Amino acid sequence: MDFDGLVAQCREILEEHPWQEIQRWKEKTGGKAAGYFPVYSPLELIYGNGMLPVGLMGGGNKTEIERADSYFGSFVCSIVKSTTELALRGELQLLDGIFFHSICDAARNLCYVFKRNFSSDRFIEYIHFPQNPSSPSAVDYLISELKRIRHVLEEANGRRMSEESFKQSIHAYNENRALIQRLYKIKAESPHLLSTAEAYQLIRVGSALPPEEHSSMLRTALEEIPKRRVRPRDKIRVILEGSFCEQPPVELLEALDEAGCYIIDDDLLLGRRWFEREVPLDGDPIRALAESYIDRSRYSSVSHDWRRPRSERLVERARQAQATAVVFCIAKFCEPALLDYPLFKDALEREGIPHVMLEFEEKMWTFDKLRTEIETFAESILFD
Amino acid sequence: MDTQSTEKKVHSQYQGKIHQMQKALMARWMAELEQAAENHEPTACLLVAGSNLSMLLRCLGIHQVYPELNALQLAIRKQSLPYIQIAEERGYSTDVCSYVKADVGAFFAGNVSSLGTKLPQPTLVLSCFSGCNVYIKWFEHIAAYTGAPLYVIDVPFIRSGNDPCPEDIDYVVSQLKEVIGICEKMTGRKLDYDELRERLAYAREVERLWLEIKELTKNIPSPYDDYFDCITLMGPMVAFRGTREGVEFFQTAKKEFEERVRLKIGPLPEEKFRIVVESAPPYPYFRTFRDLFSKWGACAVGATYTTPQPPDFLHDPERPLESLAEYPIRIFTNRGLDQRYDLLRRYVTERSADALIIHSVKSCRLFSVGHGDMREYFSKNLGIPTLMLESDLEDPRYFSEAQMKNRVDAFFEVLEHKKYIAGKAQAITEA
Ligand code: SF4
Ligand code: SF4
């Protein structure tokens, strides 16, 4: 299949029948599936237990919020509401368990709304990731938390996970992350060959597939990309910051591209490439996973590591990517991203890096205003 | 002396004595801080939810400032809006926690308190609670703006059930040890564990008294309003928990309230309704908000917001660090919504309340996300009349008095009618 065909296939799966893939996998293997809310979830543990990890990425712009509104206040991001809406409609029926994580107050409370309303035939678990990685005790704490989760999974599965299958799973995700990184490398080096909207769909389709199957799709994509005949255009190189949890509509990513931006790095689907380096396969896998979280994680607004402030890391990321500007693309009411913005802004201004801020909502469907705004921004830089 | 004048006297004494004591304590505290500012004495920024650490810091001669209390004071004195706007000009969104914005704004406007006194610059920014994620970011910002070193104590959330895992306590204890090391270095002073134990013993006494005072709201009428009056008791709890003055204050409070129980005096001329309240009040309209309920003779007999002390925990001088660690883990904002529901349900049933009032604070997700589900659970599943109101704890722009009043009035009209019918039915059965 050529590249465009592959992307079209991903788009179709994502838009038309995301649950069919999960159904198919469950039927084929007789295994269970566990959903995970963003951002990072220990997929390695879930899959190592023989369960299919399924990314819950919100309802997109095709899900009308009818009943979920009444569960929350008015100051809540879309993904919290749309995920509840999906559950109310019975669309999460295939999931035998769901994980939520300590990313923000909204997602945490959502976990307990789920516990009350949707836990009759599945487990609902909250994972507390350490917010003080500088403490030498954080690793031990996280090991105990991961062991607890391992126990939850084993209980649900009715059998113990072997060390071998755990390691195999870590290996599969290491490989999957490496392939995703290769896509990002292309995006950075030859952004005309791979747009962000395309890369995004190729990666996102993996939230409903076992890692090996997804990796083989990515390999095909990587083979096909160099064959594409696309000419580079005069656009500014930007990095996207702030879309680590709720995902902007694909059309928004396309609009940014059309408005004159090559997005060479972003934080979309961040949980799928959470570790900057491989999770080591020698030694105790739980410890390896915990240490990776503490020392090899990406920075994001939902994890805190004051050994290296996030604003420093944003500047560094922009420099490394040789970006001319930063586009903040933040979900409306996303407090972690909105609260990080003032410090990010100060740091970028100190460094003389131009930036612009956009707020989006899942159900957004017109992008003209936004396109014009970005065009003006891009032009002001290009013709500076 | 006839009963009426005794009543009057106790009533005015109540207004006088602990209120005066409370004012004196808080004024002393502000004066200490002002002096600390002048003399550049070591000061740490702390958060209310982990304010039990003040005991540790006192032993090391470190003053404490609470950005939250400052934000609260600014709001209650109707000074918050200009500061919120200063923060918004700096890039803070209109949709983020307004406590943070008022504090940041006040910092950039010269770091003064609501009374105009100078607040000390922190020598250490100590985030001591992570049950609210905004806390961590708030303190990161303070550290960035003041240049003071930051330490974030991560307090694992109670993920399920009632009790923390032992590993969670170990984790917090290890972090406390690191904090002690940092503070010892900062002040050149060694932590005196005997002094710490002594302070914890005072705290234990304060906490025991506090829980006993709270139980008094079971009486009809309740001797005080567990929401509006109790908020004033929280200041001394936060600032003087591990001190003799704290113990004396709560002893006096308890005595006064017991006397009121004996005389059957409540905060209102007549207690017609007993309510339980969830979440923080709209501080910029504190008085107005209170009046909306007083008018109906509604007295709060329970509230989550005024539950800073976990009902199942007291500090233990024999386990100093462990109990310092366990306190923030166990407070209700560090537990799932299911446990908050449980706490509210117990307040409603054990204290014979007629209704639950949910004040949904827009910019505080910790409280507000899920309030709709909470209303559903209480009104539908438990059949408890529940009213949900929405505004903010700091930002006056979200308070609409007329709308609020209409909703409260409509709610109590129905409640009154129901009570009337129920009373009639009872009378018929008895006849
Ligand atoms: S979009 Fe932001 S606020 Fe909403 S759940 Fe995700 S991290 Fe939390
Ligand atoms: S979000 Fe709520 S609990 Fe957290 S700092 Fe703001 S007001 Fe306080």
Side-chain angles (χ1 to χ4, degrees), chain B residues 30 66-84 86 98-109 111-117 119 138 282-285 393-396:
Chain B
M30 290 309 264
Y66 293 92
E68 274 166 293
L69 292 189
N70 200 36
L72 182 163
Q73 292 293 344
L74 290 171
I76 215 163
R77 286 168 207 275
K78 298 193 184 296
Q79 297 170 5
S80 58
L81 188 57
Y83 296 120
I84 291 175
I86 293 177
S98 49
Y99 253 32
V100 175
K101 286 188 284 185
D103 178 54
V104 165
F107 173 81
F108 283 106
N111 205 21
V112 285
S113 76
S114 61
L115 300 172
T117 56
L119 289 169
W138 187 352
Y283 280 118
Y285 289 92
L393 82 172
E394 183 83 20
D395 194 331

Side-chain angles (χ1 to χ4, degrees), chain A residues 37 77 79-80 103-104 106-107 244-246 302 331 333-336:
Chain A
F37 197 76
C77 60
I79 188 172
V80 161
I103 57 168
C104 69
F244 45 83
C245 178
E246 185 174 317
V302 295
F333 299 121
C334 175
E335 197 158 41

Side-chain angles (χ1 to χ4, degrees), chain A residues 184-355:
Chain A
Y184 273 86
K185 198 157 176 262
I186 298 180
K187 235 158 66 90
E189 286 167 1
S190 330
H192 59 285
L193 285 185
L194 177 64
S195 79
T196 294
E198 290 160 346
Y200 174 73
Q201 291 173 92
L202 281 169
I203 299 166
R204 176 150 173 187
V205 83
S207 9
L209 296 175
E212 297 88 347
E213 212 172 296
H214 183 229
S215 292
S216 96
M217 276 178 99
L218 294 180
R219 278 193 199 95
T220 315
L222 285 161
E223 275 165 29
E224 293 300 318
I225 292 169
K227 302 180 196 157
R228 298 184 85 190
R229 295 279 153 260
V230 196
R231 266 196 288 157
R233 302 233 323 262
D234 213 9
K235 296 188 191 186
I236 58 167
R237 291 168 66 90
V238 304
I239 62 173
L240 212 64
E241 172 71 45
S243 311
F244 45 83
C245 178
E246 185 174 317
Q247 301 296 293
V250 175
E251 295 86 344
L252 187 153
L253 300 172
E254 288 166 345
L256 285 175
D257 198 307
E258 287 157 20
C261 299
Y262 279 136
I263 304 167
I264 43 181
D265 191 21
D266 56 60
D267 55 1
L268 299 157
L269 305 167
L270 192 64
R272 296 293 308 288
R273 44 205 178 92
W274 189 253
F275 301 125
E276 286 176 325
R277 277 166 286 143
E278 284 200 341
V279 178
L281 278 163
D282 46 344
D284 174 13
I286 284 245
R287 175 168 286 276
L289 204 54
E291 286 176 350
S292 291
Y293 188 91
I294 300 293
D295 288 323
R296 293 182 273 274
S297 292
R298 290 278 303 235
Y299 81 89
S300 101
S301 294
V302 295
S303 58
H304 299 89
D305 184 351
W306 38 283
R307 292 173 297 184
R308 285 173 68 206
R310 290 183 295 286
S311 41
E312 239 172 60
R313 291 176 79 170
L314 170 66
V315 169
E316 189 183 292
R317 189 158 76 93
R319 293 260 182 262
Q320 265 170 11
Q322 295 175 327
T324 11
V326 174
V327 176
F328 291 97
C329 186
I330 297 178
K332 188 151 177 60
F333 299 121
C334 175
E335 197 158 41
L338 290 170
L339 266 180
D340 270 0
Y341 174 69
L343 291 193
F344 280 159
K345 176 175 165 281
D346 287 354
L348 293 176
E349 279 162 14
R350 268 196 307 273
E351 299 289 323
I353 302 172
H355 57 90

Side-chain angles (χ1 to χ4, degrees), chain A residues 142-176:
Chain A
L142 185 51
I143 289 175
S144 75
E145 181 66 343
L146 292 175
K147 281 188 177 157
R148 187 181 70 83
I149 296 306
R150 174 183 179 154
H151 184 71
V152 167
L153 290 162
E154 289 179 339
E155 285 276 292
N157 246 348
R159 62 184 147 89
R160 280 189 64 80
M161 172 181 67
S162 71
E163 180 160 328
E164 197 194 305
S165 104
F166 190 9
K167 284 194 165 171
Q168 252 169 25
S169 164
I170 292 182
H171 173 71
Y173 280 102
N174 274 343
E175 215 171 52
N176 191 253

Side-chain angles (χ1 to χ4, degrees), chain A residues 14-32:
Chain A
L14 290 168
E15 282 179 4
E16 308 298 331
H17 45 80
W19 296 100
Q20 269 179 29
E21 298 300 314
I22 298 156
Q23 176 88 35
R24 183 176 56 80
W25 182 89
K26 284 184 85 168
E27 276 164 13
K28 195 176 87 192
T29 62
K32 293 185 190 288

Side-chain angles (χ1 to χ4, degrees), chain A residues 105, chain B residues 68 97 99 132 134-135 138 363-366 393:
Chain A
D105 298 328
Chain B
E68 274 166 293
C97 168
Y99 253 32
C132 163
V134 172
Y135 271 2
W138 187 352
S363 74
C364 174
R365 273 96 180 159
L366 173 127
L393 82 172

Side-chain angles (χ1 to χ4, degrees), chain B residues 315-366:
Chain B
H315 279 93
D316 181 357
E318 299 311 314
R319 302 164 54 240
L321 294 188
E322 288 76 8
S323 68
L324 280 176
E326 213 171 313
Y327 170 83
I329 301 181
R330 282 187 180 272
I331 55 184
F332 81 92
T333 45
N334 205 49
R335 304 177 187 220
L337 279 183
D338 49 344
Q339 296 215 21
R340 208 190 306 170
Y341 291 7
D342 203 48
L343 184 69
L344 285 165
R345 189 177 47 74
R346 275 192 288 125
Y347 283 161
V348 172
T349 47
E350 290 170 8
R351 300 179 186 175
S352 333
D354 304 298
L356 171 68
I357 312 292
I358 303 172
H359 177 237
S360 202
V361 173
K362 276 180 188 267
S363 74
C364 174
R365 273 96 180 159
L366 173 127

